Every structure is written in C-alpha cells, then in structure tokens.
Amino acid sequence: MSEAILYSLKFAFIGISIVFVSLALIVSAISLIKRADDYWIKHEESQKKQMLNKTQNIDNITLAIIATAVSTMLLGRYHIRGVRRYLPRDLERSPWSTEGRAILHGSHIVNKKRN
C-alpha cells in the first residue's frame, strides 16, 4: 500500500475515534443530568408528601377569616351565601362571650368599592 493511503486511513481512524469518544462523553453527561433530575424530582415529591402530612398549625376559623380577607381585597365586597354555627348548641355561654362575639361580628363591615 502506498504511504498516502496509510496516512489517510490513520487520519480517518483518528477522526472517527474522536467523534465516537465525544459522542460517548455527551451521552454520559446527558445520562448523569437525567439521573440527577430524576433524583431531584423524587426528592421534591417526598417533600410534598411530608408537607401534606404535617399538622395544621392554624385553626379553621383563622383560615376562613384569612381567606375572606384575601377574597375581599381581590374581588371586592364578599357576599355571604350561608351561615354556619361554630359552637355546639348545648355549650353553655356566658353573657361576656355572647357580647364579645356580637361586637366582633359587628366590626367586620366592608364598604363597597366604587368605580
């Protein structure tokens, strides 16, 4: 074989090997990134499950009041469609608690927004 053919074969082999090595490095980098992403997704899902299993640290009345205040600020006046009793009927109430509850309910007046 002539020397030019041997040189071109060596050059082609080196070029092909460089291409395959670089493709192997790209594939390995992509697979490492995918593994890291899968691990991160599993970690976030486990954190979400843990957050759902946490106990609520505010009571339902406070949560309802906050939701009402937010909706009033965003949407304007809040229209009450129904009223539900929070205290049981057989619970003994003192006049102090009844008066305090009446004052609290009377102080929650929201004015209409005017255009």
Side-chain angles (χ1 to χ4, degrees), residues 48-99:
K48 285 180 185 177
K49 287 180 183 176
Q50 288 176 356
M51 292 295 283
L52 290 176
N53 293 335
K54 284 178 102 175
T55 57
Q56 185 176 346
N57 57 0
I58 62 172
D59 59 343
N60 290 332
I61 296 172
T62 307
L63 188 63
I65 292 171
I66 292 171
T68 305
V70 169
S71 66
T72 302
M73 291 300 294
L74 296 177
L75 302 174
R77 188 170 180 148
Y78 188 77
H79 298 283
I80 298 173
R81 296 184 181 181
V83 177
R84 192 176 67 180
R85 186 180 208 85
Y86 283 113
L87 298 173
R89 291 181 186 265
D90 58 346
L91 182 69
E92 288 187 32
R93 288 185 283 266
S94 69
W96 285 98
S97 64
T98 306
E99 184 66 25

Side-chain angles (χ1 to χ4, degrees), residues 38-50:
D38 290 341
Y39 172 76
W40 188 256
I41 289 171
K42 287 180 184 177
H43 181 69
E44 285 179 345
E45 287 175 359
S46 67
Q47 282 185 341
K48 285 180 185 177
K49 287 180 183 176
Q50 288 176 356

Side-chain angles (χ1 to χ4, degrees), residues 4-57:
I5 294 176
L6 284 176
Y7 179 75
S8 61
L9 285 175
K10 287 180 185 177
F11 192 69
F13 179 73
I14 290 172
I16 290 173
S17 61
I18 287 173
V19 168
F20 279 110
V21 167
S22 62
L23 287 175
L25 287 173
I26 291 171
V27 166
S28 62
I30 289 173
S31 67
L32 285 173
I33 291 171
K34 185 180 182 323
R35 284 184 186 176
D37 189 41
D38 290 341
Y39 172 76
W40 188 256
I41 289 171
K42 287 180 184 177
H43 181 69
E44 285 179 345
E45 287 175 359
S46 67
Q47 282 185 341
K48 285 180 185 177
K49 287 180 183 176
Q50 288 176 356
M51 292 295 283
L52 290 176
N53 293 335
K54 284 178 102 175
T55 57
Q56 185 176 346
N57 57 0

